Amino acid sequence: MIHIKNISKSFGENKVLDHFSMTIPEGETTCLMGASGCGKTTLLRILMGLETADEGTVEGLDPSRLSAVFQEDRLCENLSAMANIRLVCLSKDKKVIADQMDQIGLAGCANQPVRELSGGMRRRIALLRAINAPGDVLILDEPFKGLDDITKENVILFVDRSCKGRTLLCVTHDEDEVGALNAKQVIRMR
């Protein structure tokens, strides 16, 4: 279990989080929802150790045991799709990764530099990289944005299958995504 207790964070005069608390069950999917600007991404950045809370504590989370998909894809532009994914899992068989790529509609682009790929393709590569990274916790910040409906449905099913037993925290604005991910918990931030 990850316990987030009374987290507060301000940027200047703008208080983004005000004594926010929640518990994330281990090995389950939790979706975080709320209006733009309510602090969802800031909370994720605190959990990842990229921001420091002004007040409060996070217990039960080792940042070295998590992987993430940010709102931006954060890929290495000059590396191929395969090389970007393998950055986190060098010992994984390339055939396994190629099979995963096929499953989410990325057949044939393994050796292309990611700078040549569409936004939706890049998004799926970022997801595969996070899923293949070692660790118990996967943090996804609007991971399905930019995907058409059919591709999104296929990718969500893949994520759900691939992340069984891992703790998954997903920020989304889409109720359909919450259902498709079989979220055990939905937290609505204000």
Side-chain angles (χ1 to χ4, degrees):
M1 298 274 260
I2 300 167
H3 301 282
I4 299 163
K5 299 178 179 179
N6 296 310
I7 294 289
S8 294
K9 179 67 178 177
S10 296
F11 295 99
E13 297 296 314
N14 184 21
K15 189 158 211 152
V16 179
L17 295 168
D18 189 11
H19 294 93
F20 179 81
S21 297
M22 70 182 279
T23 297
I24 303 170
E26 186 176 337
E28 302 288 348
T29 297
T30 297
C31 285
L32 198 55
M33 301 184 83
S36 295
C38 74
K40 300 178 302 294
T41 296
T42 299
L43 177 64
L44 297 185
R45 291 180 58 78
I46 290 169
L47 294 176
M48 290 183 276
L50 301 173
E51 293 282 349
T52 303
D54 299 333
E55 296 179 65
T57 60
V58 177
E59 298 170 0
L61 177 65
D62 177 356
S64 71
R65 298 292 301 152
L66 64 83
S67 59
V69 172
F70 297 85
Q71 287 184 12
E72 317 79 33
D73 297 321
R74 302 199 180 181
L75 299 171
C76 298
E77 295 289 318
N78 292 323
L79 294 181
S80 69
M82 178 67 75
N84 266 279
I85 297 165
R86 291 193 75 231
L87 282 172
V88 299
C89 58
L90 286 172
S91 63
K92 189 167 264 190
D93 189 322
K94 287 182 180 181
K95 290 179 182 177
V96 172
I97 295 171
D99 180 59
Q100 291 175 334
M101 293 177 76
D102 288 349
Q103 289 179 53
I104 60 171
L106 292 172
C109 72
N111 295 316
Q112 265 186 281
V114 295
R115 71 178 178 276
E116 296 175 1
L117 302 178
S118 72
M121 294 170 88
R122 295 165 57 92
R123 197 75 184 143
R124 287 174 277 165
I125 292 163
L127 272 163
L128 281 179
R129 183 174 60 188
I131 288 169
N132 281 289
D136 309 323
V137 179
L138 184 59
I139 293 177
L140 306 176
D141 195 356
E142 298 184 43
F144 311 113
K145 71 178 184 178
L147 301 180
D148 64 82
D149 291 340
I150 293 170
T151 301
K152 183 189 329 185
E153 182 180 330
N154 186 36
V155 171
I156 290 172
L157 289 172
F158 176 83
V159 169
D160 185 50
R161 281 191 317 269
S162 300
C163 294
K164 294 285 186 221
R166 289 174 82 178
T167 302
L168 178 64
L169 178 59
C170 180
V171 169
T172 181
H173 294 281
D174 188 331
E175 294 284 349
D176 292 336
E177 291 177 11
V178 172
L181 284 168
N182 296 304
K184 300 295 184 222
Q185 174 176 241
V186 179
I187 305 294
R188 298 180 192 281
M189 295 179 69
R190 299 176 200 276

